[in-house]
Amino acid sequence: MSLLKNTVLASIGAFEVTKAKAEKIIDELIRKGNLSRSDRKEAVLELLERAQKSAEKLRSTVLKEAEKAQKSASKLKQDLEWVRRSEYKKLEGKLSRISKKVRDLEKQLKA
């Protein structure tokens, strides 16, 4: 069975293997003489189980990496202290009003 484990799993890299596909792969190994017919049922079940475990591991890894990316993006946003466009426009308006008041005060002081 170690030949099955090493050859099939390494060569197909299957994460989602259907029963029909697993049977086809095992039948091909039997045809080539790499596996005995008496091991067919056990080999199909093992291949399906390993494919399921690989799929679960891949899903878990993808979820973990997505969470890491989301945390990194949130931290980056926080570190950059980004401002929403609406907040920027408000601040721009306030700055414009303050600038006008400063100019008006300067005119009053000169007069």
Side-chain angles (χ1 to χ4, degrees):
M1 286 297 264
S2 65
L3 179 63
L4 170 70
K5 292 174 187 175
N6 297 332
T7 307
V8 176
L9 294 176
S11 66
I12 64 171
F15 293 109
E16 296 287 338
V17 176
T18 63
K19 183 177 180 190
K21 187 172 183 179
E23 288 173 343
K24 184 177 177 182
I25 291 167
I26 298 304
D27 287 343
E28 182 64 22
L29 288 172
I30 291 169
R31 188 184 67 73
K32 289 181 179 180
N34 295 327
L35 191 64
S36 97
R37 180 150 293 285
S38 62
D39 292 332
R40 183 179 188 275
K41 183 178 180 179
E42 182 183 337
V44 168
L45 293 175
E46 183 177 343
L47 178 58
L48 289 171
E49 181 181 325
R50 288 180 164 271
Q52 182 180 2
K53 285 180 182 178
S54 293
E56 289 168 5
K57 185 177 178 182
L58 176 63
R59 284 185 199 103
S60 174
T61 300
V62 168
L63 286 174
K64 284 178 187 174
E65 291 303 317
E67 286 176 17
K68 284 181 189 177
Q70 186 175 10
K71 285 179 184 176
S72 292
S74 293
K75 185 176 180 340
L76 178 63
K77 181 180 176 185
Q78 195 173 30
D79 289 348
L80 292 175
E81 296 179 8
W82 286 0
V83 186
R84 289 190 174 104
R85 186 174 303 275
S86 61
E87 293 170 333
Y88 176 79
K89 291 292 184 183
K90 272 185 188 177
L91 289 172
E92 193 175 43
K94 285 181 182 180
L95 181 58
S96 181
R97 289 188 298 276
I98 291 170
S99 294
K100 184 181 181 313
K101 285 183 181 183
V102 168
R103 284 192 303 273
D104 291 345
L105 287 172
E106 286 175 341
K107 286 180 186 176
Q108 288 177 1
L109 287 174
K110 286 183 183 178

